[in-house]
Amino acid sequence: MSISPANKLQWLLRRELWEHKGMLGTPALVGIVMTVLGSLMAAATVARTKMHTALIVNGEEVSWSAIFNTRTFGPRRTEIIDAVANNYTYAAAPLFLALGFLVFFYCLSALHDDRRDRSVLFWKSLPISDAQTVLSKAAIALLVAPLIVAAAASLTSLALVLILSGVLAVNGIHVFAELLASPGLYLGPLRVFGLLPVYCLWALPTVGWLLMVSSWARSKVFLWAVGLPLLLLILTVWAGKLTQTESDVSWIQMHVIGRALLGTLPGSWYLFEPGLLPHARALAEGGSHMTRIDVFSNSWSSLALPAAWLGAAAGGAMLYAAIRLRRWREEG
C-alpha cells in the first residue's frame, strides 16, 4: 500500500517533534515561568499595599483609583484600556525571543545529528526522499515552531493581562468588563498568527543557510555556520576601511551576513530594513500614540520590498543545496 506525500510529510513532522521535544517544552516552560512570575508580582503588590497616593488636595490623599474612576478621566481611561487591549501581546516578547534561538539551534542540528548517530542510514532505507526530509525540517522551523510559540505567547499574554486586571480590581479599579468589550483583546492573537507568513519569508535565508551547513559539515557545525559569516564580516570591514567604501559594503554586512544569522528572530525585518521604523512612527502619529502602533500592517508592508523576496529566493536555493548535499554527502 502506497503512502501519499501528505501522509509522509505528516509522519515526518511527528518524527521531528518526537525527537525534538524542546519544540513543545521550551515555549510551554517559558510561558509558565512568565505567568508564575506575573502572579507572584501581583500577589506581592496586593499584599504590600493598595494603590499609592496619586496626589494630595487640601491635605487629603487622593488615590489613583479615585482618579481613574472619575467621570472627567473617562476619555483617558478608555484610551488606556484600548492601548492595553491592542498591545498586550507584546508582553510575550521573551517567548518571541526564545523562538529565534529555538529555530536557530534546531536547524543547526537537524541534518547533522542524523549523520552523527547514523540514523540517516535507517531513514534512507525508507521510501522517503531527501527532499521530503529536508522540507519537513524546514517546515518545522518556519511553520510548526512559530505556530507553537504564537499559541503559547497568546495564552501567556492573555493570562498576564487578566492578572493585571485582578490587581487593579483589588485596588478599586474595575476594567475587566471594558477589556472584554474591546475588539483589540480578540484581534491581538489573530494579528500574531497573521504575521507568520511575514516571519517565514524573512527567516527563510537563515533557515536555508543553517540547514545547508548542517547537511554539509562533518563536525563543529556551529563554528562553520557562525564563523564563516563572521569571517566575511571582518573581511568586508577591512576592505571598507582600506578602500574608504564603508557605506558600499554595509549592504553586504546587513543583507548577506545579517540575514544569514539573525533572520530567525521575529521582527528581524526592522533590522534589515531600518526605513520601516520611520513608517511605523508615522502610523503612530496618525492617531493616538497609545493605540495606533500597527505593527501588523507595517510588517506586511515589508513584503513590498525587493530584499524580502531576494532573500527568500536565496533561502530556497540553499534549501535545494541542502537536499543535494544530503543526497551525495559521504557519510561517516
Side-chain angles (χ1 to χ4, degrees), residues 5 8-9 12 15 111 120 123-137 323-324 326-327:
K8 287 182 182 179
L9 180 60
L12 285 170
R15 170 221 172 184
L111 295 170
V120 66
W123 291 106
K124 280 182 174 289
S125 68
L126 299 177
I128 299 173
S129 67
D130 295 297
Q132 290 171 329
T133 300
V134 173
L135 291 178
S136 69
K137 295 176 184 294
I323 294 170
R324 300 293 296 180
R326 188 178 189 271
R327 181 175 301 168

Side-chain angles (χ1 to χ4, degrees), residues 56-222:
I56 298 177
V57 179
N58 296 328
E60 295 184 3
E61 296 182 351
V62 180
S63 67
W64 283 110
S65 60
I67 294 177
F68 203 78
N69 290 322
T70 57
R71 185 172 302 175
T72 56
F73 195 74
R76 189 64 175 171
R77 171 193 176 104
T78 302
E79 183 180 341
I80 293 173
I81 291 173
D82 286 344
V84 172
N86 285 309
N87 303 305
Y88 74 96
T89 50
Y90 300 154
L95 270 166
F96 299 129
L97 182 63
L99 171 63
F101 290 97
L102 192 68
V103 171
F104 187 94
F105 287 102
Y106 165 76
C107 291
L108 271 182
S109 63
L111 295 170
H112 177 261
D113 285 355
D114 285 352
R115 301 201 315 273
R116 185 177 59 182
D117 61 16
R118 311 292 291 178
S119 64
V120 66
L121 300 177
F122 168 75
W123 291 106
K124 280 182 174 289
S125 68
L126 299 177
I128 299 173
S129 67
D130 295 297
Q132 290 171 329
T133 300
V134 173
L135 291 178
S136 69
K137 295 176 184 294
I140 288 287
L142 295 172
L143 294 174
V144 178
L147 278 172
I148 293 172
V149 171
S154 298
L155 293 174
T156 301
S157 54
L158 182 60
L160 292 176
V161 81
L162 292 178
I163 291 171
L164 174 63
S165 300
V167 173
L168 293 175
V170 169
N171 289 279
I173 301 175
H174 302 282
V175 298
F176 186 71
E178 292 164 279
L179 278 173
L180 288 180
S182 176
L185 187 71
Y186 310 100
L187 293 177
L190 295 179
R191 293 191 188 103
V192 173
F193 285 99
L195 286 176
L196 289 179
V198 180
Y199 175 79
C200 288
L201 278 175
W202 284 98
L204 185 54
T206 303
V207 170
W209 165 251
L210 295 175
L211 287 177
M212 184 178 70
V213 175
S214 181
S215 180
W216 166 77
R218 293 180 181 273
S219 62
K220 300 178 178 63
V221 186
F222 180 83

